[in-house]
Amino acid sequence: MNRLFSNSLRASVAAGQAARSHLLVGCAKQGAGPRPSLVACYSTKDALQSSRPGGDGFLAEIAKLDSNAYLRQLSARYDLARKLCLDDPERFSSRHSHQRFQTTSKDIFPNTELRLSKVRTYGFDYDYTLARYTDKLPETIYTMIRDVLVDKMLYPPVLKGLKYDKTFAIRGISYDKETGWLFKLDSNYNIAMDTIHYGREPLRDLEEVYSLHNGPHLAPDYVKSHLYHLNDLYSIPEATLLADIIQYFSENNVPFHPRYLAEDIRTAGEYIHKGDGISLSPLHRVIMGNIGDYLERAPELLRLLETLKREGKRLFLLTNSGYEYVDTGLRHLFGTKDWRDVFDVVIVSARKPSWYLSHRPFRHVPTGNGGGASSATTKPWAFVDSFEEGQVYSGGNLMAFTAITGYSDRNVMYFGDHLYSDLRDPSIQKGWFTGAIVSELKYELSVIQRSEYRQCVSYIQLLEKILKYSQQETRGSEFMRLPAEEKEAFRRLLDMGRAERRKVRWQMRDLFNTNFGSVFRTEKYPSLFATKIKSFANVYTADLSNLAAYPSDFVFYPKRMTQAHESRMPEVDDLLEEVLRV
């Protein structure tokens, strides 16, 4: 990176963080209770004064330059943008949006064109796809991993006093095993600088990032060797525990290596999930002992599967969880012990993602509860070259599965929640259609539909347009004839607009999560997690039950993405409203 530009970017980010802290403190001073609205704690004039160099004297200096039409015009543009976007929240309320076309958490969102009529076979993961876990599960995972670290891996007993904070982390962040930083990456593998945390605290010295990487971008080799991506919902309590332990170690001057801490937490996590590989894992034993505390009932999912079955679709279950655990869970979810009747094939203990590329054979699974192979008659060591009705199988691999079932690759659609265990390899190796279950959509959509968020987006876009056209005007001969001090004043006024834009971006970020922002976005670009969803999933949705609202011959059309060089089209919702009145 050019050294001058690098220094400028460092200064900009550091100044922005200071301005953001000033803004948050200012908002907090308005009183305790719910977060104040953007309009209540945010005035464009005040924000510009707090973020620009020179203090009130600079505004007085500008006021003296009455003859400079450029300054008057830019100031007027800023003021009008504020009035249009911030002073009239009613304009951005849901009552003024196209209710008929407004997206909801019941929608399925396509990344590619998908014709459901082509899908002959549907497959499903169990955890976080069929199974809807309550908020008690991540807290239990956090507590169990913490206790394994203390009881079995010699970590300080005082750590047992740590409590799970469900508001700290989000899915899709990364942990740097060399530095101990937690942060979010964008689609270009740039660190979102305002998300870097060491322990529970934001990283204060951004110079460390530039010293290590010469900028926010991470090289592919570094990402591969040193980052641990926290991409599934199980990893959120792991991320929180990483931060909590680092915070404790830092405050108490306990020496440690971030890589060993991550490996220990990962080892403890695998232990509670898998146990000894023969009997029930510790986590599954806890969940099965209090199934109602951890799993929501979902009879509508059984009705969905039965509808697909009546329509002639073939259904299979493919999960890494063991049979006893899945059986207990689906009995609770569906309210029947005969849940296996709805599936043509049931595969447990699959060991995804290696399942897609391995050559392990399938094995019979003793069910021991009637309706299929019993423990007494099943021979787990027997060769499996066909799938029989009512039987349950474990292990296996994608190639053998295709050979035994005869399912055509381009007629199969698989739903799951994990980027790599469920979505990447089926789409890449076999060309299966894939659907991602992203439960965070429910909350993210609720934020997007708030008037406060809509105000922020509109204000930022309007500021960017103002900055674009105002900068272009500086190339004219009339501007070039202005005195040097007036040109400099104009450029500083442009900087005020840029600072205002940064502040509103931070305000938007905090609406989702005050530490890491939205699961789907960084400050400027889609997050790396969102990019992978787009790459590996044909569609994504908040809940599998949403599929029930779409007929079996429905065609999904992806949203047209406008390129930077393309002209803006008329608002389609306005046109559609008119068309549908005919």
Side-chain angles (χ1 to χ4, degrees):
M1 178 183 289
N2 178 277
R3 190 163 190 79
L4 179 60
F5 176 73
S6 177
N7 292 336
S8 173
L9 182 56
R10 278 197 290 269
S12 174
V13 173
Q17 284 187 333
R20 177 173 179 268
S21 300
H22 174 83
L23 171 64
L24 294 178
V25 170
C27 289
K29 288 180 179 178
Q30 294 196 16
R35 180 192 298 274
S37 69
L38 181 63
V39 176
C41 70
Y42 212 89
S43 159
T44 297
K45 184 176 179 180
D46 294 340
L48 291 175
Q49 287 178 336
S50 68
S51 63
R52 56 163 175 72
D56 293 334
F58 180 58
L59 284 183
E61 178 185 344
I62 291 178
K64 295 177 183 177
L65 302 174
D66 294 332
S67 60
N68 190 331
Y70 289 96
L71 285 171
R72 290 198 304 272
Q73 186 179 54
L74 182 52
S75 297
R77 287 170 174 172
Y78 284 159
D79 187 58
L80 183 56
R82 177 187 60 78
K83 290 178 179 177
L84 290 174
C85 298
L86 301 187
D87 288 354
D88 186 13
E90 181 65 20
R91 177 197 296 267
F92 298 93
S93 69
S94 58
R95 287 182 299 177
H96 291 272
S97 61
H98 292 273
Q99 293 285 338
R100 186 171 183 178
F101 314 121
Q102 193 169 355
T103 56
T104 74
S105 61
K106 298 293 185 181
D107 291 332
I108 294 179
F109 304 99
N111 291 319
T112 67
E113 184 172 322
L114 173 64
R115 297 175 181 271
L116 291 184
S117 60
K118 289 186 176 181
V119 180
R120 295 289 309 282
T121 305
Y122 285 93
F124 307 94
D125 183 33
Y126 173 70
D127 295 292
Y128 284 108
T129 300
L130 290 171
R132 300 174 185 154
Y133 291 107
T134 67
D135 290 341
K136 188 175 178 64
L137 179 60
E139 180 181 1
T140 298
I141 292 173
Y142 178 97
T143 302
M144 292 183 72
I145 293 177
R146 179 202 66 194
D147 291 352
V148 169
L149 292 174
V150 174
D151 296 338
K152 297 181 179 295
M153 304 178 77
L154 304 181
Y155 275 69
V158 69
L159 294 182
K160 283 200 172 184
L162 297 175
K163 303 298 181 183
Y164 179 60
D165 176 8
K166 67 179 182 179
T167 68
F168 175 72
I170 62 171
R171 178 157 55 153
I173 58 178
S174 299
Y175 176 77
D176 190 320
K177 291 179 281 191
E178 288 300 304
T179 62
W181 299 338
L182 282 165
F183 49 75
K184 189 165 60 176
L185 289 174
D186 69 19
S187 54
N188 299 312
Y189 289 91
N190 295 310
I191 299 173
M193 302 292 281
D194 61 334
T195 67
I196 306 174
H197 281 68
Y198 185 71
R200 294 299 294 264
E201 301 294 330
L203 186 67
R204 300 300 180 188
D205 186 7
L206 294 175
E207 185 65 37
E208 294 183 51
V209 183
Y210 291 88
S211 298
L212 183 60
H213 301 293
N214 198 31
H217 181 71
L218 297 185
D221 287 345
Y222 190 92
V223 171
K224 184 177 181 180
S225 302
H226 301 301
L227 292 197
Y228 171 31
H229 299 297
L230 300 151
N231 284 321
D232 62 18
L233 290 166
Y234 288 125
S235 63
I236 295 178
E238 291 183 18
T240 305
L241 187 57
L242 278 165
D244 288 345
I245 293 178
I246 290 175
Q247 187 70 29
Y248 172 80
F249 282 169
S250 299
E251 290 176 350
N252 293 276
N253 298 314
V254 178
F256 72 102
H257 196 289
R259 183 177 293 270
Y260 288 144
L261 175 58
E263 290 176 354
D264 288 348
I265 287 179
R266 191 63 179 163
T267 298
E270 289 181 353
Y271 170 75
I272 69 166
H273 281 284
K274 300 178 181 179
D276 58 14
I278 299 175
S279 55
L280 277 172
S281 73
L283 178 62
H284 288 175
R285 191 178 299 114
V286 169
I287 294 172
M288 289 172 63
N290 303 273
I291 196 72
D293 292 341
Y294 291 96
L295 274 181
E296 301 175 6
R297 293 190 182 274
E300 69 277 10
L301 285 180
L302 178 59
R303 291 194 294 270
L304 167 64
L305 300 181
E306 289 173 338
T307 298
L308 293 173
K309 194 80 170 177
R310 285 194 301 270
E311 293 173 349
K313 308 299 183 182
R314 298 168 299 201
L315 309 181
F316 66 91
L317 175 65
L318 175 65
T319 174
N320 285 347
S321 295
Y323 174 73
E324 188 176 354
Y325 177 67
V326 172
D327 179 55
T328 302
L330 287 179
R331 284 171 179 247
H332 177 80
L333 289 165
F334 292 169
T336 175
K337 63 181 179 61
D338 299 322
W339 60 266
R340 280 183 291 165
D341 293 346
V342 78
F343 293 104
D344 295 277
V345 182
V346 175
I347 301 169
V348 298
S349 304
R351 300 188 188 179
K352 297 176 294 179
S354 65
W355 187 85
Y356 301 107
L357 296 174
S358 76
H359 297 280
R360 294 176 61 247
F362 284 102
R363 302 183 66 164
H364 290 281
V365 175
T367 58
N369 54 7
S374 67
S375 299
T377 60
T378 298
K379 297 179 176 56
W381 57 85
F383 183 76
V384 175
D385 58 0
S386 63
F387 294 146
E388 300 176 17
E389 185 177 351
Q391 294 273 16
V392 178
Y393 303 90
S394 69
N397 63 82
L398 176 57
M399 186 179 299
F401 176 81
T402 303
I404 293 173
T405 61
Y407 295 166
S408 174
D409 298 338
R410 292 305 295 171
N411 292 333
V412 178
M413 184 165 192
Y414 185 69
F415 283 91
D417 70 292
H418 196 285
L419 284 175
Y420 300 103
S421 294
D422 298 324
L423 304 173
R424 181 186 62 182
D425 287 323
S427 60
I428 293 176
Q429 301 298 330
K430 282 292 184 179
W432 286 4
F433 300 117
T434 51
I437 304 301
V438 187
S439 59
E440 294 94 334
L441 276 168
K442 295 178 181 177
Y443 177 71
E444 296 255 339
L445 285 168
S446 72
V447 172
I448 289 171
Q449 290 167 12
R450 294 182 198 171
S451 60
E452 183 177 5
Y453 177 85
R454 293 170 181 268
Q455 286 175 272
C456 286
V457 172
S458 299
Y459 189 35
I460 284 176
Q461 291 178 338
L462 196 51
L463 280 174
E464 290 171 346
K465 294 289 187 183
I466 291 170
L467 290 168
K468 172 187 174 182
Y469 289 111
S470 297
Q471 290 176 97
Q472 289 175 333
E473 290 169 353
T474 63
R475 301 176 65 181
S477 58
E478 184 177 345
F479 182 87
M480 299 303 295
R481 289 194 295 269
L482 290 176
E485 65 273 15
E486 294 191 20
K487 291 179 185 176
E488 179 61 23
F490 184 81
R491 293 188 179 100
R492 292 171 70 183
L493 191 56
L494 286 174
D495 287 340
M496 290 183 196
R498 296 184 184 106
E500 177 83 340
R501 173 178 171 272
R502 283 197 301 272
K503 283 188 175 183
V504 182
R505 283 189 177 277
W506 282 317
Q507 181 81 12
M508 287 173 58
R509 190 202 73 161
D510 289 351
L511 291 174
F512 294 96
N513 178 282
T514 56
N515 301 307
F516 301 100
S518 167
V519 172
F520 292 91
R521 283 196 169 275
T522 62
E523 183 180 343
K524 299 177 183 177
Y525 305 107
S527 65
L528 182 61
F529 176 81
T531 303
K532 297 301 183 184
I533 289 288
K534 186 174 180 63
S535 299
F536 301 147
N538 296 91
V539 299
Y540 62 101
T541 189
D543 193 273
L544 180 61
S545 64
N546 293 340
L547 184 61
Y550 296 83
S552 59
D553 59 352
F554 192 86
V555 181
F556 290 99
Y557 297 104
K559 184 178 181 180
R560 177 180 173 84
M561 304 304 293
T562 303
Q563 301 293 321
H565 67 277
E566 294 179 325
S567 300
R568 180 181 178 276
M569 297 295 109
E571 288 292 341
V572 175
D573 285 348
D574 292 333
L575 302 178
L576 185 57
E577 192 79 64
E578 183 176 343
V579 168
L580 294 180
R581 284 199 296 265
V582 174

